[in-house]
Amino acid sequence: MSAIHLQNLVKRFGPFTALRTMDLHIADGEFMALLGPSGCGKSTTMNMIAGMEEPSEGQILFGDRDMAGVPMGRRGVGFVFQNYAIFTHMTVRGNLSYGLRMRGAPKSEIDRRVGAVAELLQLTPLLHRKANRLSVNILQRVAIGRSAIMEPAIFLLDEPLSNVDAAFRAVMRTELKHLQREFKQTMVYVTHDQLEAMTMADRIAVMDHGVLQQVGAPLDVYNNPANLFVARFIGAPGMNLLPGRPAESDGGLVIDLGPLGISPPLPEGIAAVLRGSNGEVFYGFRPEQVTRSVDGRGLAMPVSFVERIGARTIVHLGEGERSVKAVFENDAGAVVGETLVLVPDAASVRVFDAGSGRAVMAEG
Amino acid sequence: MTMATLPSTLAPAVPADKPENESARLGFRLTLPAQILVLFIAVFPLLMQLYISLSDWAPLSGVEWWNAWELWNSFANYSDLAADTRFWSALWCTALVMVICVPAEFLLGLALATLFADDFPGKRVFYSILLMPMMVVPAVAGYMFFMLFQSGGPVNDILSALTGRTVAIAWLSDPTLAFIAVVIADIWQWTPLMFLILLAGLVGVPDDQIKAATLLGANAWQRFTTIVLPKMKTIIIIALAIRVIENFKIFDTLFIMTGGGPGVATETISVYVYKVTTQDLIWGYVAAIALAILVVLSVVAVFAMKRMAKARELAA
Ligand SMILES: Nc1ncnc2c1ncn2[C@@H]1O[C@H](COP(=O)(O)OP(=O)(O)OP(=O)(O)O)[C@@H](O)[C@H]1O
Ligand SMILES: [Mg+2]
């Protein structure tokens, strides 16, 4: 069994808490991405799963087996380091065969498996090369191959693509996903690049400052962020968030956005929960999920900046706290200074409690 | 630098690559003082020695050294050297001390370095204590061991306490025991240096590669032989080369402990040279011995440097 269960995991370095009560369950064969900004405790979590660090509190289970006290060499995990940790004094072949040699595998089997892995990762012509003069792209493949050859049930990758060039990164994303489909390992993949997490992972665990913020399928995390941090962090650009208060209107419950007027009526599910409260909230919607108003009703805001990115256009509107971005799939024809009236797609509107930062969820 | 600039300055000037030639000439001019210095420090004494070694010159022979050609003895010193049993015995003794001391110091130093690479309580204190022998002036160390190994000295006292009988071994009067005592003193004094160099090498081994090896299932011994030792190869060769060359010249501690005795049991090359120089005063012969030793040591050094270059290439 190679499901991974992290239960109430805490890691402290002296007075500094790097990880706070982390609860995460990764299913057998699942591709889980740990996503978060630098220093949020991703590597720390991985190192504890691999056994390189002892948890300060809590438990790690593989299947139903408690890993406390199991040394890292016996956990049967493959690990790809952030900086690869290639054995530079060996050849590529020496690196790939290392694990098998240390376990005393017969020479014929070593040759066969090295051959197979080298073929898979296109390392065959480089097998005899010394590892100290190889490019990062190749080192990265050697690092993956060196672990993959052991056919671990659990594969941990710590930002394996953060140092390689963009073109190769795109190739490796598909390769890795392919590899995982083929071998069905449980894969934990650390990254601070949400595109990587979104495209490869079955589920994403978003972390910030040592706290697990949300776990869910990529689209779920994108569509239904659990709190303000996830709303801002996921998506490029992140979700638009405007401060305001719930208010009653003819069309139903709306958010009074102060100088921006009132929002379009809220979806009934959210309205039902919010009705009657008067606390400050954030009105959120995705920059990709807006249209320009046809009848003049909506959020009227001045354009402050227009960013063209290939086919897409990002239009920045408003300023300071009351600024939003809108992404259009075409030129949009927006001019700086002009006032646009935007209508967020009703179904994609999210409301967050300003006090707790949590999303207001429709009941039921 | 000098190797590279010299040939190009000597080569006829080619107008086509004038700037390059000019910079080479400037380089030569800038390094000239250093080259002259090297000439005086290394080459001049060497030539002087070579010159004297071909004569019967001695400080009391009544001619200045530059007139030693008057005492030219047509390579007699070198043929004498080949037939000098005391020289060969001294060489043998030196070699024996070396093949015992250097490996012992290396293994002890490596073991200690491995121990000190990890943290343990009181590490700093032990570290300081461990380095102390290296700080002791060799002459003082010699006197210390001379006292320790007296018949009524502490070594025998400890042996008495351990065996329960009165032990009164005359350590320094017995050829074999005197040799052992000298070896012990050398190991005591020079293991710390080995330890220090090897520790520097050991902490330079990348931690993540060791972790990677562990995760791939290598046990402690496998990690040591497949990662740590190969990565330390260059520094190991440096440490061994330093100790081989230093040990070949072993003198002060040993001389104070035994004076090369009993008989010639602990007479190493340096002790022998010292005796010939100060007692027999035949400097022409001394020069011949010194040159012979220099040749031997140079061969060792060249060999070590070759290995080092290779190891560095492998370990980088
Ligand atoms: N051995 C340690 N001693 C003290 N603090 C540590 C140690 N290791 C990590 N930390 C701290 O714990 C926090 C989390 O570190 P971690 O390496 O897990 O971050 P990360 O999410 O992997 O970041 P990055 O994306 O930069 O790799 C950081 O603030 C870091 O400074
Ligand atoms: Mg990290």
PDB file of all heavy atoms in Angstrom, chain A residues 38-39 41-44 47 82 158-159 190 192, ligand 2:
ATOM      1  N   SER A  38       7.459  30.575  -2.001  1.00  0.00           N
ATOM      2  CA  SER A  38       8.737  30.170  -1.429  1.00  0.00           C
ATOM      3  C   SER A  38       8.717  30.275   0.097  1.00  0.00           C
ATOM      4  O   SER A  38       8.185  31.233   0.642  1.00  0.00           O
ATOM      5  CB  SER A  38       9.839  31.067  -2.001  1.00  0.00           C
ATOM      6  OG  SER A  38      11.075  30.480  -1.773  1.00  0.00           O
ATOM      7  N   GLY A  39       9.254  29.258   0.740  1.00  0.00           N
ATOM      8  CA  GLY A  39       9.358  29.280   2.194  1.00  0.00           C
ATOM      9  C   GLY A  39       8.107  28.863   2.923  1.00  0.00           C
ATOM     10  O   GLY A  39       8.012  29.006   4.135  1.00  0.00           O
ATOM     11  N   GLY A  41       7.000  25.864   3.361  1.00  0.00           N
ATOM     12  CA  GLY A  41       7.114  24.570   4.042  1.00  0.00           C
ATOM     13  C   GLY A  41       6.923  23.376   3.136  1.00  0.00           C
ATOM     14  O   GLY A  41       6.735  22.259   3.615  1.00  0.00           O
ATOM     15  N   LYS A  42       7.011  23.569   1.847  1.00  0.00           N
ATOM     16  CA  LYS A  42       6.823  22.456   0.912  1.00  0.00           C
ATOM     17  C   LYS A  42       7.953  21.432   1.051  1.00  0.00           C
ATOM     18  O   LYS A  42       7.711  20.241   1.226  1.00  0.00           O
ATOM     19  CB  LYS A  42       6.789  22.967  -0.540  1.00  0.00           C
ATOM     20  CG  LYS A  42       5.752  24.043  -0.797  1.00  0.00           C
ATOM     21  CD  LYS A  42       5.742  24.484  -2.246  1.00  0.00           C
ATOM     22  CE  LYS A  42       7.019  25.142  -2.715  1.00  0.00           C
ATOM     23  NZ  LYS A  42       7.207  26.519  -2.259  1.00  0.00           N
ATOM     24  N   SER A  43       9.193  21.929   0.974  1.00  0.00           N
ATOM     25  CA  SER A  43      10.328  21.015   1.079  1.00  0.00           C
ATOM     26  C   SER A  43      10.347  20.342   2.438  1.00  0.00           C
ATOM     27  O   SER A  43      10.663  19.160   2.552  1.00  0.00           O
ATOM     28  CB  SER A  43      11.641  21.766   0.869  1.00  0.00           C
ATOM     29  OG  SER A  43      11.700  22.265  -0.437  1.00  0.00           O
ATOM     30  N   THR A  44      10.004  21.096   3.457  1.00  0.00           N
ATOM     31  CA  THR A  44       9.981  20.530   4.806  1.00  0.00           C
ATOM     32  C   THR A  44       9.023  19.344   4.852  1.00  0.00           C
ATOM     33  O   THR A  44       9.353  18.296   5.410  1.00  0.00           O
ATOM     34  CB  THR A  44       9.545  21.618   5.807  1.00  0.00           C
ATOM     35  OG1 THR A  44      10.412  22.733   5.655  1.00  0.00           O
ATOM     36  CG2 THR A  44       9.611  21.108   7.222  1.00  0.00           C
ATOM     37  N   ASN A  47      10.618  16.441   2.965  1.00  0.00           N
ATOM     38  CA  ASN A  47      11.732  15.842   3.694  1.00  0.00           C
ATOM     39  C   ASN A  47      11.242  14.955   4.823  1.00  0.00           C
ATOM     40  O   ASN A  47      11.875  13.946   5.143  1.00  0.00           O
ATOM     41  CB  ASN A  47      12.658  16.933   4.245  1.00  0.00           C
ATOM     42  CG  ASN A  47      13.349  17.697   3.123  1.00  0.00           C
ATOM     43  OD1 ASN A  47      13.321  17.273   1.976  1.00  0.00           O
ATOM     44  ND2 ASN A  47      13.949  18.819   3.455  1.00  0.00           N
ATOM     45  N   GLN A  82      15.736  19.186  -5.165  1.00  0.00           N
ATOM     46  CA  GLN A  82      15.571  20.490  -5.812  1.00  0.00           C
ATOM     47  C   GLN A  82      16.805  20.827  -6.658  1.00  0.00           C
ATOM     48  O   GLN A  82      16.691  21.384  -7.729  1.00  0.00           O
ATOM     49  CB  GLN A  82      15.367  21.546  -4.723  1.00  0.00           C
ATOM     50  CG  GLN A  82      14.700  22.802  -5.203  1.00  0.00           C
ATOM     51  CD  GLN A  82      14.117  23.616  -4.045  1.00  0.00           C
ATOM     52  OE1 GLN A  82      14.051  23.160  -2.909  1.00  0.00           O
ATOM     53  NE2 GLN A  82      13.681  24.810  -4.336  1.00  0.00           N
ATOM     54  N   ASP A 158      10.959  17.347  -5.648  1.00  0.00           N
ATOM     55  CA  ASP A 158      11.014  18.685  -5.073  1.00  0.00           C
ATOM     56  C   ASP A 158      11.404  19.692  -6.149  1.00  0.00           C
ATOM     57  O   ASP A 158      12.564  19.793  -6.507  1.00  0.00           O
ATOM     58  CB  ASP A 158      12.014  18.712  -3.918  1.00  0.00           C
ATOM     59  CG  ASP A 158      11.873  19.972  -3.083  1.00  0.00           C
ATOM     60  OD1 ASP A 158      11.156  20.887  -3.525  1.00  0.00           O
ATOM     61  OD2 ASP A 158      12.471  20.029  -1.997  1.00  0.00           O
ATOM     62  N   GLU A 159      10.446  20.409  -6.658  1.00  0.00           N
ATOM     63  CA  GLU A 159      10.669  21.402  -7.715  1.00  0.00           C
ATOM     64  C   GLU A 159      11.635  20.904  -8.783  1.00  0.00           C
ATOM     65  O   GLU A 159      12.662  21.528  -9.032  1.00  0.00           O
ATOM     66  CB  GLU A 159      11.198  22.706  -7.105  1.00  0.00           C
ATOM     67  CG  GLU A 159      10.259  23.243  -6.054  1.00  0.00           C
ATOM     68  CD  GLU A 159      10.460  24.718  -5.790  1.00  0.00           C
ATOM     69  OE1 GLU A 159      10.893  25.421  -6.704  1.00  0.00           O
ATOM     70  OE2 GLU A 159      10.157  25.159  -4.681  1.00  0.00           O
ATOM     71  N   VAL A 190       6.399  18.860  -5.595  1.00  0.00           N
ATOM     72  CA  VAL A 190       6.460  20.206  -5.025  1.00  0.00           C
ATOM     73  C   VAL A 190       6.719  21.218  -6.116  1.00  0.00           C
ATOM     74  O   VAL A 190       7.559  20.998  -6.986  1.00  0.00           O
ATOM     75  CB  VAL A 190       7.583  20.298  -3.975  1.00  0.00           C
ATOM     76  CG1 VAL A 190       7.920  21.748  -3.680  1.00  0.00           C
ATOM     77  CG2 VAL A 190       7.183  19.587  -2.707  1.00  0.00           C
ATOM     78  N   HIS A 192       6.297  25.758  -7.069  1.00  0.00           N
ATOM     79  CA  HIS A 192       5.655  27.035  -6.802  1.00  0.00           C
ATOM     80  C   HIS A 192       5.074  27.603  -8.096  1.00  0.00           C
ATOM     81  O   HIS A 192       4.649  28.735  -8.154  1.00  0.00           O
ATOM     82  CB  HIS A 192       6.604  28.020  -6.095  1.00  0.00           C
ATOM     83  CG  HIS A 192       7.852  28.298  -6.871  1.00  0.00           C
ATOM     84  ND1 HIS A 192       9.098  28.047  -6.361  1.00  0.00           N
ATOM     85  CD2 HIS A 192       8.048  28.763  -8.109  1.00  0.00           C
ATOM     86  CE1 HIS A 192       9.997  28.370  -7.266  1.00  0.00           C
ATOM     87  NE2 HIS A 192       9.392  28.806  -8.334  1.00  0.00           N
TER      88      HIS A 192
HETATM   89 MG    MG C   2      11.936  23.922  -1.263  1.00  0.00          MG
END
